[in-house]
Amino acid sequence: MTKSLEQLDWTLIQSFYAVGEHQSLSAAARNLGQSQPTTGRHIKAIEAALGVELFRRTPRGLTLTDAGAEIFNHAKAMKLAAAQLQLTAGGKSQDLRGTVRITASVVVSHFILPDIIANIRRTLPEVELELVPSDTVENLTFRDADIAIRMFRPTQPDIITRHIADQPMALYANSKYLDRVGRPHSLAELRTLDIVGLDKSDQIIRAMKDIGMDVGRAFFPVRCDDQAAYWRLVCAGCGVGGMQTAIGDREPLVEQIPIEFDLPSLPVWLAAPDALRSNARIRKVWDLLVQAFG
């Protein structure tokens, strides 16, 4: 006799969902924090319990069978419901002791948040803080983070958001590099300098076109998409690069390029699951982040 999905061990359902999502036993195991053989045993157990084949091996990995795809949708709904239960329970906590998980872009995590987190720890020593540097959009519903710092307005459902600041941008270059090549005072002079560009992203190319500099990818002699590494390349003297003034003005190796044109500011938004609105420690950390950026 087979079991219904509702009677299955939740651990088996979690493993099934992870394998269905990642289409790989190894990737699912890493995501779950368990070994690959354990994940494989879970898949065999759930297939035996339900009496159906859930996955088919292909050159690209494990793909869901028709039955597996149907059950995957139910497992996804169960995972979301479990996450909502956890959020609701967590939102009622008034205990300051515990963990708050913050996610932000790599560059903000490297160059802005360390000082802010140190201040939060001095103010709230009973709160443990976890920082997740990531340029991907973390899923707040599944508690990938309690608070997200975004440079765009979040649109994920069932979250609260607040616009807390606008970060001005400027161009910077290493002072010794400028001593060697000269300091530009116009866009024409700027074009003669090396400019650090992005690799796969066309963000800088589009921004330069907006100010009348029509260039392509080959215009940039050094390219990097990782924002933290990009900034270190600028600081090392690889060329001119843009950065938030909150970061650039504090770096002793560089100086602002004194060219008059408008660079768009970066908006700073906070986001958190709506169910955590009343959680005492998350609310206090939220308020301190608002204060620090504002």
Side-chain angles (χ1 to χ4, degrees):
M1 177 182 292
T2 62
K3 297 180 182 180
S4 68
L5 187 60
E6 290 81 2
Q7 293 174 305
L8 285 173
D9 185 336
W10 174 238
T11 302
L12 302 184
I13 298 173
Q14 286 181 302
S15 293
F16 163 69
Y17 180 83
V19 175
E21 184 178 37
H22 295 281
Q23 299 185 342
S24 162
L25 283 176
S26 58
R30 286 194 300 272
N31 179 262
L32 293 168
Q34 63 191 24
S35 69
Q36 182 174 333
T38 297
T39 305
R41 286 194 297 271
H42 287 174
I43 297 305
K44 290 181 180 178
I46 194 172
E47 286 183 328
L50 294 175
V52 294
E53 183 184 24
L54 299 175
F55 293 99
R56 185 179 299 107
R57 290 191 177 276
T58 70
R60 293 187 177 183
L62 295 173
T63 60
L64 290 162
T65 62
D66 290 343
E70 184 176 352
I71 294 172
F72 180 82
N73 290 331
H74 293 300
K76 184 176 182 180
M78 293 173 69
K79 180 178 173 65
L80 181 59
Q84 292 290 356
L85 284 172
Q86 186 180 22
L87 284 173
T88 301
K92 303 302 181 183
S93 175
Q94 298 304 307
D95 191 354
L96 289 181
R97 292 172 299 177
T99 302
V100 176
R101 189 172 175 87
I102 303 170
T103 185
S105 69
V106 171
V107 71
V108 169
S109 296
H110 275 249
F111 301 110
I112 294 180
L113 279 180
D115 288 343
I116 294 175
I117 287 175
N119 180 64
I120 293 174
R121 285 284 302 136
R122 287 190 294 269
T123 306
L124 300 172
E126 61 272 59
V127 175
E128 301 170 21
L129 297 169
E130 295 176 347
L131 176 60
V132 185
S134 175
D135 290 326
T136 62
V137 178
E138 308 300 316
N139 193 317
L140 298 179
T141 302
F142 292 142
R143 293 298 295 273
D144 291 339
D146 297 310
I147 299 175
I149 301 170
R150 307 284 196 222
M151 297 304 175
F152 56 87
R153 183 170 188 170
T155 58
Q156 185 179 327
D158 300 322
I159 62 173
I160 55 174
T161 62
R162 180 171 175 181
H163 177 227
I164 59 173
D166 288 295
Q167 294 276 10
M169 298 283 293
L171 294 179
Y172 295 89
N174 179 283
S175 296
K176 291 182 179 179
Y177 170 77
L178 294 175
D179 289 341
R180 188 174 78 251
V181 302
R183 286 162 174 78
H185 294 88
S186 67
L187 290 179
E189 292 179 357
L190 175 66
R191 193 182 180 105
T192 66
L193 273 60
D194 289 341
I195 297 178
V196 181
L198 299 177
D199 181 17
K200 296 179 181 178
S201 170
D202 65 347
Q203 181 180 359
I204 292 179
I205 292 175
R206 288 186 284 106
M208 293 184 71
K209 286 183 178 179
D210 289 341
I211 61 173
M213 296 179 66
D214 193 0
V215 300
R217 183 174 180 273
F219 174 78
F220 307 97
V222 178
R223 300 180 287 269
C224 179
D225 282 333
D226 183 283
Q227 291 293 319
Y230 170 94
W231 178 236
R232 297 321 307 173
L233 290 169
V234 174
C235 294
C238 293
V240 177
M243 183 48 63
Q244 302 167 48
T245 58
I247 297 172
D249 288 352
R250 297 170 58 189
E251 173 54 60
L253 293 175
V254 303
E255 59 187 78
Q256 272 200 40
I257 303 296
I259 297 179
E260 293 293 335
F261 65 90
D262 291 330
L263 285 176
S265 297
L266 287 178
V268 182
W269 288 81
L270 288 187
D274 183 65
L276 296 178
R277 182 193 300 269
S278 57
N279 181 289
R281 63 178 175 275
I282 293 177
R283 186 174 65 248
K284 286 186 176 294
V285 172
W286 173 287
D287 290 342
L288 288 171
L289 287 170
V290 170
Q291 179 181 334
F293 278 93

